[in-house]
Amino acid sequence: MKITVIGGGSSYTPELLEGIIKQQHALDISEIWLVDVPEGQKKLSIIANLAARMMEKADCPIKITATLDRREAIKGASYVITQIRVGQLEMRRNDEYISIKHGVIGQETTGAGGFMKALRTIPVLLDICRDIEELAPDAWLLNFTNPAGLVTEAILKHSSVKVIGLCNNPINYYKRFSRTYNTAIENISITFVGINHLIWITELHVNGKSRIEDILTGISDSYEAKNIPSLGWDPAFLQSLEAIPCGYHKYYYQTDRLLKQQQSQYQQNETRADQVQQVEKELFELYQDPNLNDKPRALEQRGGAYYSEAAVRLMTSLQLNTKHIHTLNVPNNGTISCLPDDACIEVNCVVESHQVTPLQVGSVPPQIRGLLQVVQAYEELTVEAAVTGNKGTALQALTLHPLIPSSERAQVILDEMLEVNKRYLPQFYSESQEVNQ
């Protein structure tokens, strides 16, 4: 079996390789192709060398091939994993700094930053999908590229590829509650409702007993993502919400405090993007050590803990037809009744070799429904803007986002971001678009 990793030069790749090595007996993988763009060639070479050392240490027979030839890498693949960053970390930093400069949250997957990343990324992913349609039509595409829900929705709407979106947040909740209650993950049952990076936990059972009140009343803590500031939650707010919010909800529910913190970091050139650049630099220095032959613990600082486990578990379920339940990004098709059928949602799904079936959620209470519907509508418009290059649609999308206070602010941010990202946004600058807009 051939696996293709697009974005193979990512600092996350050793995490994925570690998971594959652990499950090689079940997956029977013969080759892994790591593919990247010319700008990432040096990092790709470093990762490929580390991958070879990891395989040798594990006495694993998987052949590693590193290449810049995406089509050759995709040809005949059983699984294609996408983990790309269009514009690299430099553009992430621009996204954050432009946002904060104009008085709004700067973050790579939500708000103005997530919006801009989606505009850069969606056309590239759709181009990759055209290669998959031609060269590996039976392959499953597992998308980790952020903003994962937006990207997956675009693929679902504009390609015929069998795509599943993945995030490491859900598995981290299982891990956390497993430790909290000192029980196996198999004894934890969680109901997730929402879209990627905007999911609520509406039910939590441990060994068959409901324990959600433990979290809502503050008896036990929930999972805190390392890449999001930990400000805690007001128990009174949680009890009236009647659900456990994910870490990314802090950008919506605690906007003032987080923005103030970000503005202070901005003044000192120490935003999350700056921190990630430093972590990445240190990681690649480690990866070049010829004596390193496994995933370093320092990778956990990068914010993607257990993503390999989520990916490998999913591949195992697809390959072996286990019918296990995974939390995935899939088309709604009536699962959440207040969202359009073609929306991309993040919920529990039964995974079979031939299909992924979301478990019914039905109606959701207004305190969840209100925010969920607005952000999903923003995502729908953002997908359309990314595909068409229509600046009016882009303005409506950004204006609609809850973290943008006005159409005037949206226009200023949009104009600056489009100019800074011009070389990545040909869809907005074609002759036909200039005439129409």
Side-chain angles (χ1 to χ4, degrees):
M1 184 169 70
K2 176 181 178 180
I3 293 178
T4 299
V5 182
I6 300 180
S10 166
S11 60
Y12 285 124
T13 301
E15 167 93 10
L16 176 65
L17 295 171
E18 180 187 62
I20 288 174
I21 288 170
K22 289 179 179 179
Q23 285 296 314
Q24 165 61 4
H25 63 284
L27 291 173
D28 194 26
I29 299 163
S30 58
E31 51 185 323
I32 298 176
W33 286 61
L34 306 176
V35 61
D36 220 303
V37 294
E39 295 87 341
Q41 186 168 12
K42 182 180 178 181
K43 289 181 178 179
L44 177 63
S45 177
I46 293 169
I47 293 295
N49 289 331
L50 173 57
R53 296 194 299 270
M54 291 175 69
M55 295 300 165
E56 183 179 3
K57 178 186 178 182
D59 193 24
C60 187
I62 298 175
K63 179 185 177 183
I64 301 293
T65 301
T67 182
L68 301 182
D69 188 339
R70 189 177 78 199
R71 287 175 60 82
E72 189 64 28
I74 289 173
K75 187 185 301 180
S78 298
Y79 296 93
V80 178
I81 297 172
T82 46
Q83 50 178 35
I84 68 172
R85 182 183 294 279
V86 179
Q88 319 245 349
L89 288 173
E90 175 192 358
M91 299 315 295
R92 171 182 176 162
R93 188 178 189 274
N94 284 334
D95 293 343
E96 289 189 12
Y97 272 71
I98 292 171
S99 301
I100 298 169
K101 180 178 73 173
H102 290 292
V104 300
I105 289 289
Q107 212 280 327
E108 75 160 336
T109 63
T110 192
F115 168 77
M116 198 64 245
K117 186 173 186 184
L119 296 190
R120 286 194 302 269
T121 304
I122 286 171
V124 178
L125 260 294
L126 292 179
D127 192 46
I128 290 169
C129 285
R130 285 188 280 274
D131 285 346
I132 296 173
E133 289 168 347
E134 177 187 349
L135 302 167
D138 295 325
W140 283 98
L141 170 58
L142 310 184
N143 176 59
F144 277 101
T145 299
N146 276 323
L150 265 165
V151 170
T152 304
E153 181 166 323
I155 295 170
L156 287 165
K157 288 180 174 178
H158 297 281
S159 88
S160 61
V161 170
K162 298 187 298 183
V163 61
I164 303 169
L166 276 168
C167 182
N168 68 321
N169 269 305
I171 195 170
N172 274 293
Y173 281 104
Y174 280 98
K175 294 276 187 180
R176 177 56 185 262
F177 293 137
S178 174
R179 292 192 297 269
T180 298
Y181 294 100
N182 193 28
T183 189
I185 283 180
E186 291 73 19
N187 298 325
I188 307 293
S189 175
I190 305 174
T191 298
F192 295 98
V193 176
I195 57 181
N196 182 242
H197 287 182
L198 197 74
I199 51 171
W200 291 260
I201 293 175
T202 55
E203 293 182 26
L204 167 63
H205 286 81
V206 180
N207 294 308
K209 181 180 179 181
S210 176
R211 305 307 295 255
I212 193 167
E213 286 298 320
D214 295 352
I215 312 299
L216 301 184
T217 57
I219 294 174
S220 296
D221 293 329
S222 182
Y223 158 68
E224 292 285 349
K226 292 183 179 180
N227 60 326
I228 301 174
S230 179
L231 302 179
W233 292 107
D234 175 19
F237 172 76
L238 290 185
Q239 290 171 53
S240 59
L241 181 63
E242 298 179 337
I244 302 170
C246 75
Y248 289 88
H249 278 100
K250 292 175 183 176
Y251 295 109
Y252 300 91
Y253 294 151
Q254 301 177 344
T255 311
D256 293 342
R257 293 171 67 189
L258 277 174
L259 181 57
K260 184 177 180 180
Q261 186 180 89
Q262 286 191 350
Q263 288 170 330
S264 175
Q265 294 170 336
Y266 169 83
Q267 295 296 331
Q268 302 172 54
N269 292 324
E270 293 179 353
T271 70
R272 175 64 183 168
D274 294 304
Q275 297 164 13
V276 167
Q277 283 183 323
Q278 182 60 35
V279 170
E280 180 127 320
K281 179 182 176 183
E282 293 170 359
L283 282 172
F284 274 94
E285 288 173 355
L286 284 175
Y287 292 167
Q288 293 179 77
D289 181 353
N291 297 313
L292 181 70
N293 54 15
D294 54 14
K295 181 195 78 174
R297 289 187 60 84
L299 181 53
E300 294 179 9
Q301 298 178 43
R302 191 64 179 77
Y306 305 119
Y307 111 90
S308 70
E309 192 166 336
V312 174
R313 282 185 176 189
L314 177 56
M315 283 191 289
T316 303
S317 284
L318 289 167
Q319 198 67 19
L320 303 182
N321 197 34
T322 64
K323 299 181 176 62
H324 287 165
I325 294 176
H326 300 258
T327 310
L328 305 170
N329 289 270
V330 295
N332 183 32
N333 290 333
T335 304
I336 300 177
S337 59
C338 65
L339 296 182
D341 284 348
D342 61 356
C344 182
I345 59 173
E346 187 168 284
V347 294
N348 291 337
C349 305
V350 177
V351 175
E352 301 174 85
S353 293
H354 64 291
Q355 66 181 5
V356 175
T357 307
L359 300 179
Q360 191 70 24
V361 171
S363 62
V364 294
Q367 64 268 33
I368 291 177
R369 185 174 69 240
L371 181 57
L372 177 59
Q373 287 181 316
V374 171
V375 178
Q376 194 286 316
Y378 145 81
E379 294 198 349
E380 181 179 342
L381 286 168
T382 301
V383 169
E384 182 182 345
V387 171
T388 64
N390 186 287
K391 292 180 183 177
T393 305
L395 176 61
Q396 290 300 319
L398 193 55
T399 301
L400 188 59
H401 197 286
L403 297 180
I404 307 301
S406 68
S407 61
E408 292 86 357
R409 193 87 58 93
Q411 184 71 71
V412 171
I413 293 170
L414 177 63
D415 288 344
E416 184 170 349
M417 283 188 160
L418 288 180
E419 183 61 31
V420 169
N421 285 270
K422 191 171 184 177
R423 67 186 183 276
Y424 300 107
L425 301 173
Q427 71 272 37
F428 284 91
Y429 290 97
S430 66
E431 290 185 11
S432 61
Q433 289 294 0
E434 296 292 348
V435 170
N436 292 333
Q437 300 175 134

